[in-house]
């Protein structure tokens, strides 16, 4: 997973004074004839301080929607509006390799590039932002280590630190828990919960239905359409999920009030 700076010129034309990220009547088509994938039309409004999970089966359009909101794909038709500022949205992809020869400090410092001129040296404010991002992700203790020496969970947190150093209003993550063990998944989600509680808008694509129960809001996609938008207790039900995923489910409530879903046996 790697942080990328969203500087799409399409988005730069359409900015908002209010701190929301919106997609209006978004549509996107890829491929040809029978193999064509179509997303939308759909509209979403994302606000600061929310932890939002995007769910759906393979091919539902989850990553496509995330990349449209980040500005790496252009809707046709439709429009994406975001807060003003070149660094207001940070996008973390699951597929791009990190430069293994960089130190953690060097990698996280790249998050400051949207705030610097091409040949400017980092300012004191830049250095403080980087240090703050390292502290928030518990990666300051290995700032001098090479990225190539990090474990999978450590790399995820370093990627997140790089995005936070950008000082975005919205953080978009594509399957951030992919390839992590159960302990590191929980650690990462706890970190994202803290960031949302601190005012950051966090939107993540997930495959794991049970992990999504920690979000405050779920967007459920099927066949490129938004079929549900609501809190976990309303969306994570067998009645809603069974026709989308094509299997029978049982729902249990954990002692902490969370939702646990499992395939029905027999």
């Amino acid at each position: 997973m790697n942080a990328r700076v969203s500087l799409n010129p399409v988005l730069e034309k359409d900015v908002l004074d209010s701190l929301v990220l919106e997609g209006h009547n978004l549509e996107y088509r890829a491929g040809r004839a029978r193999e064509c994938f179509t997303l939308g039309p759909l509209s979403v409004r994302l606000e600061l301080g929310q932890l939002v999970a995007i769910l759906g089966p393979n091919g539902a359009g989850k990553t496509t929607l995330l990349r449209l909101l980040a500005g790496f794909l252009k809707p046709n038709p439709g429009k994406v509006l975001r807060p003003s500022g070149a660094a207001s949205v940070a996008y973390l992809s699951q597929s791009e390799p990190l430069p293994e020869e960089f130190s953690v400090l060097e990698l996280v410092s790249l998050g400051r590039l949207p705030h610097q001129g091409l040949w400017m040296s980092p300012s004191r404010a830049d250095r403080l932002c980087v240090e703050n991002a390292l502290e928030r992700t518990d990666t300051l203790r290995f700032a001098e280590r090479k990225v190539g020496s990090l474990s999978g969970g450590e790399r995820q947190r370093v990627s997140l630190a790089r995005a936070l150093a950008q000082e975005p209003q919205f953080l978009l993550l594509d399957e951030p828990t992919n390839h992590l063990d159960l302990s590191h998944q929980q650690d990462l989600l706890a970190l994202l919960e803290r960031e949302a509680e601190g005012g950051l808008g966090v939107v993540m694509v997930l495959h794991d239905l049970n992990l999504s129960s920690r979000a405050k809001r779920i967007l459920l996609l099927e066949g490129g359409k938004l079929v549900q938008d609501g809190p976990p207790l309303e969306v994570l039900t067998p009645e809603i999920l069974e026709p989308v995923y094509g299997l029978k489910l049982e729902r249990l409530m954990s002692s902490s009030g969370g939702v646990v879903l499992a395939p029905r046996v027999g």
Side-chain angles (χ1 to χ4, degrees):
M1 183 175 68
N2 193 11
R4 291 162 57 179
V5 177
S6 176
L7 294 174
N8 189 293
V10 175
L11 288 183
E12 294 304 318
K13 299 175 185 176
D14 300 305
V15 296
L16 297 169
D17 292 329
S18 57
L19 296 179
V20 296
L21 176 62
E22 295 187 79
H24 293 282
N25 299 316
L26 300 180
E27 292 190 49
Y28 183 80
R29 292 174 177 81
R32 298 179 181 178
R34 279 184 266 181
E35 297 180 357
C36 179
F37 167 77
T38 301
L39 177 80
L42 60 83
S43 297
V44 294
R45 176 186 171 93
L46 303 166
E47 300 178 358
L48 296 181
Q50 285 188 339
L51 179 61
V52 180
I54 302 177
L55 294 182
N58 290 340
K62 302 182 295 297
T63 295
T64 299
L65 174 58
L66 201 70
R67 290 175 62 83
L68 284 168
L69 293 171
F72 295 114
L73 295 176
K74 180 180 178 180
N76 183 25
K79 180 181 291 188
V80 174
L81 303 177
R82 67 171 187 174
S84 59
S88 63
V89 176
Y91 176 81
L92 279 74
S93 168
Q94 59 156 321
S95 58
E96 294 182 21
L98 298 177
E100 297 197 352
E101 71 281 4
F102 277 38
S103 71
V104 169
L105 180 61
E106 290 171 333
L107 181 64
V108 175
S109 295
L110 294 178
R112 298 303 301 165
L113 289 180
H115 303 279
Q116 300 170 354
L118 188 58
W119 304 111
M120 289 178 59
S121 298
S123 66
R124 182 175 182 275
D126 291 325
R127 291 191 291 272
L128 288 174
C129 283
V130 169
E131 182 177 344
N132 177 261
L134 290 167
E135 289 178 343
R136 287 156 67 185
T137 54
D138 192 27
T139 53
L140 183 60
R141 53 197 169 93
F142 44 78
E144 300 304 321
R145 283 176 56 184
K146 296 295 184 182
V147 171
S149 71
L150 303 178
S151 68
E154 290 168 343
R155 288 180 182 229
Q156 297 289 62
R157 284 187 286 140
V158 167
S159 293
L160 182 56
R162 179 187 176 187
L164 294 178
Q166 183 181 315
E167 294 185 296
Q169 275 100 35
F170 287 91
L171 178 61
L172 312 183
L173 309 98
D174 190 5
E175 297 188 43
T177 59
N178 199 22
H179 304 307
L180 295 182
D181 62 31
L182 183 60
S183 176
H184 285 106
Q185 288 178 351
Q186 297 302 320
D187 288 344
L188 183 64
L189 285 174
L191 197 163
L192 295 175
E193 284 176 332
R194 290 195 299 271
E195 291 300 324
E197 289 169 359
L200 189 66
V202 181
V203 186
M204 55 185 179
V205 167
L206 292 177
H207 275 295
D208 192 311
L209 298 176
N210 292 319
L211 289 179
S212 72
S213 67
R214 295 184 61 165
K216 297 299 182 185
R217 176 183 173 194
I218 291 176
L219 306 178
L220 179 63
L221 300 184
E222 180 187 15
K225 305 292 185 183
L226 179 61
V227 295
Q228 292 290 331
D229 179 356
L233 287 177
E234 294 181 8
V235 177
L236 297 179
T237 68
E239 294 76 17
I240 288 175
L241 297 176
E242 286 179 353
V244 172
Y245 285 90
L247 79 164
K248 297 294 185 180
L249 294 169
E250 292 190 39
R251 185 173 98 155
L252 305 173
M253 299 300 296
S254 70
S255 59
S256 61
V259 176
V260 179
L261 291 152
R264 189 181 304 170
V265 179

